[in-house]
Amino acid sequence: MTRIDLAPADPQYRIVEIFESLQGEGWNTGMPAIFVRLGKCNLACSWCDTDYLKFSMMPLSEILGRLKNYTARNIIITGGEPTIQPHLNTLLDALKNAGYRLCIETNGLNPAPPQIDYVAASPKACYAAKYEKSCIAAADEVRIVADGDVISFCEALEQKIRARRYYLSPCEQNGAMNIYDTIRQIGILNSRPDAPVHWQLSVQTHKWAGIE
């Protein structure tokens, strides 16, 4: 017998934070948005800048009430890793019914929910073996953090994920970003005679601007 996971009337979600700001990276840089950051992740990158284990349980009704305090009509579902959140479809359905445009930031191990309007997948090279077994098939953009020599990983992901745009992002550790090495690797990727895609630089401009 197939088990159906029914959501309660007012399901609760692991909320790290909800805030309004500007998208700081990728194709939508500068876009006004409400960020809904969900707790927990199925990876544990050493350089992650989000404390996704510090969250509070918040019912859907309270989430929808908080969103009314903001003016942006774009919502970015981020984490942690949003796709592992219980009853995620119920949350997304409620947001769509409220008229929001939905974007998701995901590590790309799991498929994006169908309610999502824009998918930003950020596969992690330090977990390359996982992506050989499971990987999202399509996204609007791919953003890979250059946490080392990631050229072969980028080449593999070009074949695995069909996307409109591909970005390489510097890795920040101990307050320093490896900008030079990141653009060096972008140059190598784009100088291939048979390069199937064009890689661009994406940086966390919100940190330069001093906003969340």
Side-chain angles (χ1 to χ4, degrees):
M1 180 181 294
T2 301
R3 181 184 175 186
I4 300 175
D5 185 18
L6 296 176
D10 194 14
Q12 298 203 31
Y13 296 90
R14 301 185 290 249
I15 299 295
V16 176
E17 57 184 344
I18 298 175
F19 62 95
E20 187 172 24
S21 187
L22 303 178
Q23 171 62 282
E25 53 191 321
W27 177 256
N28 289 316
T29 293
M31 179 185 74
I34 304 166
F35 290 76
V36 177
R37 189 178 302 281
L38 301 172
K40 292 196 176 181
C41 189
N42 52 356
L43 298 178
C45 304
S46 61
W47 40 263
C48 182
D49 59 2
T50 298
D51 195 347
Y52 50 78
L53 293 180
K54 287 186 177 180
F55 57 83
S56 300
M57 299 305 296
M58 187 180 298
L60 176 60
S61 57
E62 183 176 344
I63 294 172
L64 296 176
R66 289 198 180 194
L67 295 178
K68 293 178 181 178
N69 297 321
Y70 305 120
T71 59
R73 301 306 298 170
N74 303 294
I75 290 183
I76 297 176
I77 308 294
T78 186
E81 174 49 44
T83 63
I84 65 171
Q85 185 77 206
H87 311 308
L88 180 62
N89 282 325
T90 302
L91 171 63
L92 299 180
D93 285 341
L95 297 178
K96 290 297 286 185
N97 289 337
Y100 290 102
R101 177 177 181 266
L102 302 184
C103 310
I104 195 170
E105 294 182 334
T106 172
N107 59 35
L109 284 174
N110 299 321
Q115 301 94 330
I116 297 297
D117 300 296
Y118 192 93
V119 178
S122 182
K124 304 302 190 286
C126 51
Y127 287 95
K130 287 183 177 291
Y131 290 92
E132 292 178 2
K133 300 176 182 179
S134 175
C135 185
I136 197 171
D140 292 282
E141 66 180 64
V142 169
R143 298 198 304 252
I144 294 176
V145 175
D147 58 349
D149 184 347
V150 298
I151 291 175
S152 60
F153 184 68
C154 291
E155 291 175 331
L157 269 293
E158 291 172 344
Q159 305 302 317
K160 285 182 171 292
I161 306 177
R162 184 180 70 258
R164 300 181 191 178
R165 305 167 190 95
Y166 297 80
Y167 295 96
L168 207 57
S169 301
C171 183
E172 181 178 358
Q173 298 188 77
N174 301 318
M177 289 187 183
N178 59 340
I179 294 285
Y180 176 84
D181 189 54
T182 301
I183 61 174
R184 178 188 65 82
Q185 293 190 65
I186 290 174
I188 293 173
L189 287 165
N190 289 336
S191 65
R192 295 170 295 165
D194 57 347
V197 304
H198 181 79
W199 289 82
Q200 303 175 72
L201 175 67
S202 175
V203 295
Q204 293 180 311
T205 59
H206 51 284
K207 293 184 177 180
W208 296 350
I211 59 177
E212 285 191 90

